[in-house]
Amino acid sequence: MRHSYKIKSAAAAVILSMVTFGAAAQNDSIMDIRPQGSELRIEAAGFGITIGQGETPRYSASYHRRARQPRVTTSLGIASIDLGFNTLPDVRYYGPWAGQGDFLDIRAGKSIRFAWEPAAVEVSLDRRGIVSLIGGLRLSADNYMFSEPYTISRNPGGVLMPEKLDGYIKKSKLTATYIGIPVRLSFSVGGKLDITGYASADMLLNAHTKYKKPKVKDNIPGLSPWRISAGGCLTFCNIGIYCDYSITPLFKEGTGADAHTVSIGLRFGI
């Protein structure tokens, strides 16, 4: 192989010498061939090309190939933060809550979700980091602000029932806090734009109602101890718009209402 390479190199040198000699005999403005170190520069009619063992041209395929990403990365402290709004569309009342009015009509602009993901692990499913599987730990608080002066409390028999409040009520809301594990599948579709689909399993930590004035706060039973939700997020430069739906109802079966949460808002982070 080395002998063949030397023969080809010698032949190329002879041909280039002949071309150089022929070009030198003509007008320099037509063609100019000159060596530049280990390279050969050819210019003609205002255009030029360099032949040799220089740097890889910027137009080569290797230049555009996406750099390889670490297969496993972790985020601690603030992996992501969600700030959004909750709604309860198409609530159906039955049993003890039937005929009590649409007291679960809520003010979407005041019904805020805040979620914080302190830890996450991202596993790249391919060497270029285009498809990733992300799991984390999340704490979230969902607020539901009643449109009308209602709250939910236990009656003397211990049954959870809606209660209409008298007098001036500045605000009345229901708050539920959860701890959960979201699992996301993320696709990079170009640049820093990502499309993510996810599912989450959450456990209820606390549920309480609060209204004022005067300020009254009461822990209540009756909410589903588990929440399963699914959704998606469109992210650019780690700022995204998310939307998710609670597959499980907000309240326990038999309480008196079939209500599922829809949350829409912004996500900051992965």
PDB file of all heavy atoms in Angstrom, residues 94-98 152 159-162 221-224 250-258:
ATOM      1  N   TYR A  94     -73.363  14.416  42.519  1.00  0.00           N
ATOM      2  CA  TYR A  94     -74.259  13.288  42.777  1.00  0.00           C
ATOM      3  C   TYR A  94     -74.340  13.080  44.293  1.00  0.00           C
ATOM      4  O   TYR A  94     -73.574  13.678  45.059  1.00  0.00           O
ATOM      5  CB  TYR A  94     -73.757  12.024  42.080  1.00  0.00           C
ATOM      6  CG  TYR A  94     -72.399  11.547  42.558  1.00  0.00           C
ATOM      7  CD1 TYR A  94     -72.279  10.647  43.617  1.00  0.00           C
ATOM      8  CD2 TYR A  94     -71.232  11.998  41.943  1.00  0.00           C
ATOM      9  CE1 TYR A  94     -71.035  10.211  44.055  1.00  0.00           C
ATOM     10  CE2 TYR A  94     -69.992  11.572  42.372  1.00  0.00           C
ATOM     11  CZ  TYR A  94     -69.896  10.681  43.429  1.00  0.00           C
ATOM     12  OH  TYR A  94     -68.661  10.256  43.869  1.00  0.00           O
ATOM     13  N   GLY A  95     -75.228  12.186  44.710  1.00  0.00           N
ATOM     14  CA  GLY A  95     -75.338  11.831  46.128  1.00  0.00           C
ATOM     15  C   GLY A  95     -75.617  13.035  47.014  1.00  0.00           C
ATOM     16  O   GLY A  95     -76.480  13.863  46.706  1.00  0.00           O
ATOM     17  N   PRO A  96     -74.857  13.193  48.098  1.00  0.00           N
ATOM     18  CA  PRO A  96     -75.139  14.267  49.059  1.00  0.00           C
ATOM     19  C   PRO A  96     -74.910  15.672  48.505  1.00  0.00           C
ATOM     20  O   PRO A  96     -75.434  16.635  49.063  1.00  0.00           O
ATOM     21  CB  PRO A  96     -74.174  13.963  50.214  1.00  0.00           C
ATOM     22  CG  PRO A  96     -73.062  13.176  49.595  1.00  0.00           C
ATOM     23  CD  PRO A  96     -73.716  12.363  48.517  1.00  0.00           C
ATOM     24  N   TRP A  97     -74.142  15.799  47.412  1.00  0.00           N
ATOM     25  CA  TRP A  97     -73.870  17.131  46.873  1.00  0.00           C
ATOM     26  C   TRP A  97     -74.824  17.513  45.749  1.00  0.00           C
ATOM     27  O   TRP A  97     -74.776  18.638  45.258  1.00  0.00           O
ATOM     28  CB  TRP A  97     -72.436  17.227  46.370  1.00  0.00           C
ATOM     29  CG  TRP A  97     -71.422  17.183  47.493  1.00  0.00           C
ATOM     30  CD1 TRP A  97     -71.678  16.993  48.816  1.00  0.00           C
ATOM     31  CD2 TRP A  97     -70.013  17.322  47.364  1.00  0.00           C
ATOM     32  NE1 TRP A  97     -70.522  16.994  49.540  1.00  0.00           N
ATOM     33  CE2 TRP A  97     -69.476  17.203  48.677  1.00  0.00           C
ATOM     34  CE3 TRP A  97     -69.149  17.522  46.306  1.00  0.00           C
ATOM     35  CZ2 TRP A  97     -68.103  17.277  48.931  1.00  0.00           C
ATOM     36  CZ3 TRP A  97     -67.792  17.612  46.558  1.00  0.00           C
ATOM     37  CH2 TRP A  97     -67.274  17.494  47.855  1.00  0.00           C
ATOM     38  N   ALA A  98     -75.666  16.598  45.322  1.00  0.00           N
ATOM     39  CA  ALA A  98     -76.631  16.908  44.263  1.00  0.00           C
ATOM     40  C   ALA A  98     -77.634  17.940  44.777  1.00  0.00           C
ATOM     41  O   ALA A  98     -78.118  17.863  45.907  1.00  0.00           O
ATOM     42  CB  ALA A  98     -77.354  15.641  43.824  1.00  0.00           C
ATOM     43  N   ILE A 152     -66.112  24.143  52.063  1.00  0.00           N
ATOM     44  CA  ILE A 152     -66.465  22.735  52.288  1.00  0.00           C
ATOM     45  C   ILE A 152     -66.103  22.396  53.726  1.00  0.00           C
ATOM     46  O   ILE A 152     -64.982  22.668  54.175  1.00  0.00           O
ATOM     47  CB  ILE A 152     -65.724  21.809  51.317  1.00  0.00           C
ATOM     48  CG1 ILE A 152     -66.004  22.204  49.860  1.00  0.00           C
ATOM     49  CG2 ILE A 152     -66.119  20.354  51.543  1.00  0.00           C
ATOM     50  CD1 ILE A 152     -65.202  21.410  48.853  1.00  0.00           C
ATOM     51  N   VAL A 159     -70.179  14.194  57.715  1.00  0.00           N
ATOM     52  CA  VAL A 159     -70.184  14.088  56.251  1.00  0.00           C
ATOM     53  C   VAL A 159     -69.670  15.395  55.661  1.00  0.00           C
ATOM     54  O   VAL A 159     -70.082  16.490  56.076  1.00  0.00           O
ATOM     55  CB  VAL A 159     -71.604  13.790  55.730  1.00  0.00           C
ATOM     56  CG1 VAL A 159     -71.604  13.709  54.207  1.00  0.00           C
ATOM     57  CG2 VAL A 159     -72.119  12.487  56.338  1.00  0.00           C
ATOM     58  N   LEU A 160     -68.791  15.293  54.672  1.00  0.00           N
ATOM     59  CA  LEU A 160     -68.243  16.471  54.015  1.00  0.00           C
ATOM     60  C   LEU A 160     -69.308  17.081  53.105  1.00  0.00           C
ATOM     61  O   LEU A 160     -69.828  16.418  52.201  1.00  0.00           O
ATOM     62  CB  LEU A 160     -67.003  16.082  53.205  1.00  0.00           C
ATOM     63  CG  LEU A 160     -66.093  17.224  52.742  1.00  0.00           C
ATOM     64  CD1 LEU A 160     -65.442  17.896  53.944  1.00  0.00           C
ATOM     65  CD2 LEU A 160     -65.023  16.685  51.794  1.00  0.00           C
ATOM     66  N   MET A 161     -69.627  18.356  53.340  1.00  0.00           N
ATOM     67  CA  MET A 161     -70.695  19.025  52.608  1.00  0.00           C
ATOM     68  C   MET A 161     -70.291  20.454  52.251  1.00  0.00           C
ATOM     69  O   MET A 161     -69.491  21.073  52.948  1.00  0.00           O
ATOM     70  CB  MET A 161     -71.972  19.076  53.448  1.00  0.00           C
ATOM     71  CG  MET A 161     -72.616  17.723  53.700  1.00  0.00           C
ATOM     72  SD  MET A 161     -73.322  16.997  52.198  1.00  0.00           S
ATOM     73  CE  MET A 161     -74.677  18.143  51.880  1.00  0.00           C
ATOM     74  N   PRO A 162     -70.870  20.980  51.161  1.00  0.00           N
ATOM     75  CA  PRO A 162     -70.651  22.394  50.857  1.00  0.00           C
ATOM     76  C   PRO A 162     -71.380  23.271  51.873  1.00  0.00           C
ATOM     77  O   PRO A 162     -72.442  22.917  52.380  1.00  0.00           O
ATOM     78  CB  PRO A 162     -71.252  22.541  49.461  1.00  0.00           C
ATOM     79  CG  PRO A 162     -72.245  21.436  49.340  1.00  0.00           C
ATOM     80  CD  PRO A 162     -71.680  20.301  50.126  1.00  0.00           C
ATOM     81  N   PRO A 221     -61.048  16.042  55.247  1.00  0.00           N
ATOM     82  CA  PRO A 221     -60.870  14.767  54.557  1.00  0.00           C
ATOM     83  C   PRO A 221     -61.629  14.808  53.233  1.00  0.00           C
ATOM     84  O   PRO A 221     -62.159  15.848  52.835  1.00  0.00           O
ATOM     85  CB  PRO A 221     -61.492  13.772  55.529  1.00  0.00           C
ATOM     86  CG  PRO A 221     -62.631  14.555  56.131  1.00  0.00           C
ATOM     87  CD  PRO A 221     -62.156  15.989  56.221  1.00  0.00           C
ATOM     88  N   GLY A 222     -61.691  13.685  52.566  1.00  0.00           N
ATOM     89  CA  GLY A 222     -62.547  13.575  51.388  1.00  0.00           C
ATOM     90  C   GLY A 222     -61.864  13.683  50.053  1.00  0.00           C
ATOM     91  O   GLY A 222     -62.474  13.376  49.026  1.00  0.00           O
ATOM     92  N   LEU A 223     -60.600  14.136  50.013  1.00  0.00           N
ATOM     93  CA  LEU A 223     -59.902  14.183  48.735  1.00  0.00           C
ATOM     94  C   LEU A 223     -59.229  12.840  48.447  1.00  0.00           C
ATOM     95  O   LEU A 223     -58.861  12.105  49.369  1.00  0.00           O
ATOM     96  CB  LEU A 223     -58.848  15.292  48.724  1.00  0.00           C
ATOM     97  CG  LEU A 223     -59.331  16.673  48.254  1.00  0.00           C
ATOM     98  CD1 LEU A 223     -60.319  17.270  49.250  1.00  0.00           C
ATOM     99  CD2 LEU A 223     -58.161  17.607  48.026  1.00  0.00           C
ATOM    100  N   SER A 224     -59.082  12.525  47.186  1.00  0.00           N
ATOM    101  CA  SER A 224     -58.428  11.270  46.797  1.00  0.00           C
ATOM    102  C   SER A 224     -56.992  11.254  47.319  1.00  0.00           C
ATOM    103  O   SER A 224     -56.259  12.235  47.146  1.00  0.00           O
ATOM    104  CB  SER A 224     -58.409  11.112  45.278  1.00  0.00           C
ATOM    105  OG  SER A 224     -59.714  11.088  44.756  1.00  0.00           O
ATOM    106  N   LEU A 250     -60.562  14.564  41.840  1.00  0.00           N
ATOM    107  CA  LEU A 250     -60.060  15.338  42.975  1.00  0.00           C
ATOM    108  C   LEU A 250     -60.588  14.800  44.302  1.00  0.00           C
ATOM    109  O   LEU A 250     -59.850  14.742  45.292  1.00  0.00           O
ATOM    110  CB  LEU A 250     -60.451  16.808  42.804  1.00  0.00           C
ATOM    111  CG  LEU A 250     -60.046  17.776  43.918  1.00  0.00           C
ATOM    112  CD1 LEU A 250     -58.527  17.830  44.079  1.00  0.00           C
ATOM    113  CD2 LEU A 250     -60.612  19.160  43.646  1.00  0.00           C
ATOM    114  N   PHE A 251     -61.860  14.392  44.315  1.00  0.00           N
ATOM    115  CA  PHE A 251     -62.480  13.908  45.548  1.00  0.00           C
ATOM    116  C   PHE A 251     -62.634  12.392  45.525  1.00  0.00           C
ATOM    117  O   PHE A 251     -62.698  11.778  44.454  1.00  0.00           O
ATOM    118  CB  PHE A 251     -63.850  14.564  45.744  1.00  0.00           C
ATOM    119  CG  PHE A 251     -63.795  16.056  45.897  1.00  0.00           C
ATOM    120  CD1 PHE A 251     -64.017  16.887  44.809  1.00  0.00           C
ATOM    121  CD2 PHE A 251     -63.509  16.630  47.124  1.00  0.00           C
ATOM    122  CE1 PHE A 251     -63.962  18.264  44.935  1.00  0.00           C
ATOM    123  CE2 PHE A 251     -63.444  18.013  47.270  1.00  0.00           C
ATOM    124  CZ  PHE A 251     -63.673  18.820  46.169  1.00  0.00           C
ATOM    125  N   LYS A 252     -62.712  11.808  46.706  1.00  0.00           N
ATOM    126  CA  LYS A 252     -62.929  10.377  46.825  1.00  0.00           C
ATOM    127  C   LYS A 252     -64.273   9.978  46.199  1.00  0.00           C
ATOM    128  O   LYS A 252     -65.232  10.768  46.200  1.00  0.00           O
ATOM    129  CB  LYS A 252     -62.931   9.952  48.297  1.00  0.00           C
ATOM    130  CG  LYS A 252     -61.583   9.986  48.979  1.00  0.00           C
ATOM    131  CD  LYS A 252     -61.725   9.530  50.429  1.00  0.00           C
ATOM    132  CE  LYS A 252     -60.392   9.541  51.157  1.00  0.00           C
ATOM    133  NZ  LYS A 252     -60.524   9.131  52.576  1.00  0.00           N
ATOM    134  N   GLU A 253     -64.338   8.768  45.720  1.00  0.00           N
ATOM    135  CA  GLU A 253     -65.595   8.261  45.177  1.00  0.00           C
ATOM    136  C   GLU A 253     -66.644   8.192  46.286  1.00  0.00           C
ATOM    137  O   GLU A 253     -66.368   7.725  47.389  1.00  0.00           O
ATOM    138  CB  GLU A 253     -65.379   6.880  44.569  1.00  0.00           C
ATOM    139  CG  GLU A 253     -66.609   6.312  43.893  1.00  0.00           C
ATOM    140  CD  GLU A 253     -66.353   4.968  43.259  1.00  0.00           C
ATOM    141  OE1 GLU A 253     -65.185   4.507  43.294  1.00  0.00           O
ATOM    142  OE2 GLU A 253     -67.307   4.375  42.741  1.00  0.00           O
ATOM    143  N   GLY A 254     -67.828   8.683  45.993  1.00  0.00           N
ATOM    144  CA  GLY A 254     -68.907   8.685  46.964  1.00  0.00           C
ATOM    145  C   GLY A 254     -69.025   9.963  47.755  1.00  0.00           C
ATOM    146  O   GLY A 254     -70.005  10.165  48.478  1.00  0.00           O
ATOM    147  N   THR A 255     -68.028  10.846  47.639  1.00  0.00           N
ATOM    148  CA  THR A 255     -68.087  12.112  48.376  1.00  0.00           C
ATOM    149  C   THR A 255     -69.234  12.977  47.872  1.00  0.00           C
ATOM    150  O   THR A 255     -69.956  13.593  48.672  1.00  0.00           O
ATOM    151  CB  THR A 255     -66.757  12.875  48.242  1.00  0.00           C
ATOM    152  OG1 THR A 255     -65.702  12.047  48.720  1.00  0.00           O
ATOM    153  CG2 THR A 255     -66.781  14.156  49.056  1.00  0.00           C
ATOM    154  N   GLY A 256     -69.390  13.055  46.542  1.00  0.00           N
ATOM    155  CA  GLY A 256     -70.503  13.822  46.005  1.00  0.00           C
ATOM    156  C   GLY A 256     -70.210  14.574  44.728  1.00  0.00           C
ATOM    157  O   GLY A 256     -71.096  15.241  44.197  1.00  0.00           O
ATOM    158  N   ALA A 257     -68.987  14.507  44.207  1.00  0.00           N
ATOM    159  CA  ALA A 257     -68.665  15.205  42.961  1.00  0.00           C
ATOM    160  C   ALA A 257     -67.573  14.455  42.206  1.00  0.00           C
ATOM    161  O   ALA A 257     -66.639  13.924  42.813  1.00  0.00           O
ATOM    162  CB  ALA A 257     -68.213  16.630  43.243  1.00  0.00           C
ATOM    163  N   ASP A 258     -67.743  14.421  40.879  1.00  0.00           N
ATOM    164  CA  ASP A 258     -66.716  13.870  39.996  1.00  0.00           C
ATOM    165  C   ASP A 258     -66.037  15.056  39.321  1.00  0.00           C
ATOM    166  O   ASP A 258     -66.588  15.653  38.392  1.00  0.00           O
ATOM    167  CB  ASP A 258     -67.351  12.937  38.964  1.00  0.00           C
ATOM    168  CG  ASP A 258     -66.319  12.264  38.077  1.00  0.00           C
ATOM    169  OD1 ASP A 258     -65.133  12.270  38.453  1.00  0.00           O
ATOM    170  OD2 ASP A 258     -66.687  11.753  36.997  1.00  0.00           O
TER     171      ASP A 258
END
